Amino acid sequence: MTFITPVTEIITYCSLQLQWPSLFFPRMLLLNYLGKIGSKTPLMAAATFSVGWNTFACSESLEKPLNWLLFNYYLTTCLQSSVNKHRHMFVKQVDMDHVMKAKSIREFDKRFTSVMFGYRTIDDYYTDASPSRRLTSVGIPVLCLNSVDDVFSPSHAIPIETAKQNPNVALVLTSYGGHIGFLEGIWPRQSTYMDRVFKQFVQAMVEHGHELS
């Protein structure tokens, strides 16, 4: 079992039980699922925001001193807290004491995530988790919004040329926006640019999606 398998099962179940062809999923999982299954998905379209396209590049960016101090270490402690609540479920598969000593997301993934999903090495897991390698196989309309100043998804790893090879993929890049930010105006209080783009995309798919099938 890879980390994509549960997503495939969940989407299939929801499409059959709910009869509703849309669902929100963590961005990287969703793109990997779409790239693996192609046009056979029950979903009619998808949208992602601030995707980390290359897991190696994302990890390297977050390990820069300032980013580690501001984001990486805190997020690592959050991951540790989440799994530690249920450590009795994992003690047979992983060394939980070793997991709790991780100082970065990469160390946590090496000691916990990659092991739980059966990967031989952390490199195998990060390679499989990178959505950029499956982007050409996406078989439904997908909107991908990224900002080039996102430290979680460095601009040099955004697969611009790969996206050009797939007419189903619309890759939208902004100069600013950060990670899931995309605020507008001096005093941003209303909807963000991300909200407006998502609304327009959903409306277009509802009104004209049949023209793409």
Side-chain angles (χ1 to χ4, degrees), residues 21-95:
S22 64
L23 206 60
F24 291 102
F25 273 100
R27 294 146 288 169
M28 294 172 70
L29 281 173
L30 177 58
L31 282 176
N32 273 303
Y33 158 78
L34 292 175
K36 182 179 180 180
I37 203 167
S39 60
K40 296 180 181 179
T41 176
L43 302 180
M44 63 177 292
T48 65
F49 306 97
S50 299
V51 164
W53 291 98
N54 182 297
T55 316
F56 294 98
C58 297
S59 181
E60 291 171 2
S61 176
L62 289 173
E63 286 169 357
K64 294 180 179 179
L66 183 58
N67 293 339
W68 179 88
L69 184 63
L70 293 176
F71 309 113
N72 200 325
Y73 182 69
Y74 172 72
L75 292 174
T76 301
T77 61
C78 291
L79 291 169
Q80 290 168 324
S81 178
S82 296
V83 299
N84 197 45
K85 295 177 182 178
H86 311 284
R87 65 181 297 148
H88 64 280
M89 299 174 59
F90 308 121
V91 291
K92 293 184 178 180
Q93 291 99 334
V94 297
D95 182 347

Side-chain angles (χ1 to χ4, degrees), residues 79 94 105 108-119 125:
L79 291 169
V94 297
I105 295 174
F108 178 88
D109 285 339
K110 181 178 181 179
R111 301 172 187 183
F112 183 84
T113 314
S114 61
V115 177
M116 290 302 300
F117 282 108
Y119 289 94
Y125 168 53

Side-chain angles (χ1 to χ4, degrees), residues 167-180:
N168 290 311
V169 177
L171 177 59
V172 180
L173 301 180
T174 62
S175 297
Y176 305 100
H179 189 69
I180 315 293

Side-chain angles (χ1 to χ4, degrees), residues 164-206:
K164 291 179 180 179
Q165 300 174 27
N166 189 337
N168 290 311
V169 177
L171 177 59
V172 180
L173 301 180
T174 62
S175 297
Y176 305 100
H179 189 69
I180 315 293
F182 302 101
L183 303 178
E184 295 181 300
I186 299 177
W187 301 105
R189 295 177 181 272
Q190 304 300 320
S191 63
T192 67
Y193 177 73
M194 178 174 63
D195 299 325
R196 293 196 293 112
V197 169
F198 179 68
K199 180 181 178 181
Q200 293 171 8
F201 177 70
V202 172
Q203 183 176 354
M205 290 309 307
V206 170

